[in-house]
Amino acid sequence: MIRRPPRSTLSSSSAASDVYKRQVFASCKKEQPKIDWPDDPMPIYEVIFLKPKNDAIEAFEKAVKDHNSKYHNKTEGVSAYLRSIVSGKKAGQYIWVEGPMSFEYVDNKQEIEGHMESWNNNIMPHVEEMTDSNYLRVLTPLSYSKDGSTSPSKITRVTQYKIKKGWGNNQKVWDINNKLLQVDKASNYPLSYTLLRPLTNNGEDIGYVFVSNHDDWASFDNAFKDYNYNQEIDKVYGKEERIRMWKTLRELQENEGSWVSQLVE
C-alpha cells in the first residue's frame, strides 16, 4: 500500500512556477535530497482515545469542552481539542489531542492545580473505556504545510504504517518520503500533511502515522481534481524511479489501518 493514492489530471502552472520547478527537479535528480533533521527536539502531540458511554455522549463532549476552556489553550501555538472518529478503524471513538508542544510543557501542565482532578471527576465518569494513549513526535522535516498553520483542521484522515524490521529500513522509508516531499513543495500538493512517530509501542508496532488535513468533506472529491501525483513525480525523478519508490514502500511498510475524524466544535 503506497502512502498516497495516485491522482488523475495534471494541473496548470505559471511560467515562473515552471522555472522554479525545473530548478528543483534538476537538483533532485543529481542526488538524494538531504533530510534536514533539527538539532532541537521536534514537537509532540498527546493523543488519548476515548469511548464515551452511549447515553452520555452530549455530557461527555460538554465536559471536555469545559475542561479544555479552563485548563488548556492558554499558550500560543498549543491547542487542545476533541475529534470524533466517524469512519474507519476506530469509528465511534473520540480522540482528545493536545499539541504541538514540548515535554517541558507536559511537565508544567501536570503541576496545574485542579487539572487532573477536573479530568478524572468531570470527564471520566462519562467514559466507558480509554482505549489508547500515546505521545507522537512530529517528523518536522518530512511534513508539509501549505500555509504554515498548526491549527487543527476540520477533518483529518489518519493512516498507520508498520515498517518492516531490518537494518536501514526506517532510513529508506524516510528517504523516499523526503523525495516525495520535494515533489509536493514544487508542485503545490493540494493538502497539508504531518508525519508522526509514536513514543511508545502499544502492541501494534506502528512505525509512523500519516495525517492529511481537509478543510471540508468536499475536498475528498475536489482537492485532486486537477492534480496527477504520478505525473508530478515523473517530472522530478522519472517514471522508472517513481516505480522503484512505490515498489520499495510496498515492500518495506504495511498499512495498519486508517480512520477519518471530524473536529468537535
Side-chain angles (χ1 to χ4, degrees), residues 174-236:
W174 304 152
D175 285 342
I176 291 175
N177 273 282
N178 188 41
K179 292 183 78 170
L180 295 174
L181 175 64
Q182 309 313 313
V183 177
D184 300 340
K185 289 179 177 178
S187 63
N188 297 316
Y189 189 73
L191 299 175
S192 297
Y193 60 80
T194 306
L195 273 68
L196 308 101
R197 289 209 75 183
L199 178 68
T200 56
N201 185 349
N202 64 359
E204 295 181 313
D205 201 22
I206 301 302
Y208 73 100
V209 179
F210 187 94
V211 181
S212 59
N213 300 315
H214 297 256
D215 294 330
D216 50 41
W217 286 101
S219 66
F220 283 92
D221 286 334
N222 301 331
F224 294 92
K225 190 175 181 180
D226 298 314
Y227 186 94
N228 186 308
Y229 197 41
N230 279 340
Q231 287 185 18
E232 296 296 340
I233 297 172
D234 291 352
K235 289 181 185 178
V236 183

Side-chain angles (χ1 to χ4, degrees), residues 45 79 81-84 97 99 145 147 149-158 191-194 211-217 219-220 260-265:
Y45 282 85
S79 301
Y81 47 94
L82 188 67
R83 308 194 73 94
S84 171
V97 184
S145 175
D147 55 11
S149 173
T150 59
S151 299
S153 61
K154 182 176 181 180
I155 300 165
T156 62
R157 186 178 191 275
V158 178
L191 299 175
S192 297
Y193 60 80
T194 306
V211 181
S212 59
N213 300 315
H214 297 256
D215 294 330
D216 50 41
W217 286 101
S219 66
F220 283 92
V260 174
S261 71
Q262 184 165 323
L263 188 66
V264 177
E265 299 179 285

Side-chain angles (χ1 to χ4, degrees), residues 69-134:
S69 176
K70 185 171 183 179
Y71 294 101
H72 299 274
N73 298 315
K74 310 296 184 185
T75 301
E76 185 177 358
V78 181
S79 301
Y81 47 94
L82 188 67
R83 308 194 73 94
S84 171
I85 302 178
V86 296
S87 68
K89 183 177 181 180
K90 298 176 182 286
Q93 298 185 40
Y94 286 74
I95 320 171
W96 183 86
V97 184
E98 185 171 33
M101 58 190 177
S102 65
F103 275 115
E104 181 181 5
Y105 179 94
V106 175
D107 284 334
N108 292 336
K109 75 174 181 176
Q110 291 179 350
E111 300 299 322
I112 299 174
E113 184 177 355
H115 173 250
M116 289 309 301
E117 289 81 1
S118 169
W119 181 274
N120 292 330
N121 297 334
N122 300 327
I123 295 175
M124 293 309 292
H126 305 300
V127 174
E128 178 179 321
E129 183 182 6
M130 185 174 76
T131 61
D132 199 4
S133 175
N134 213 332

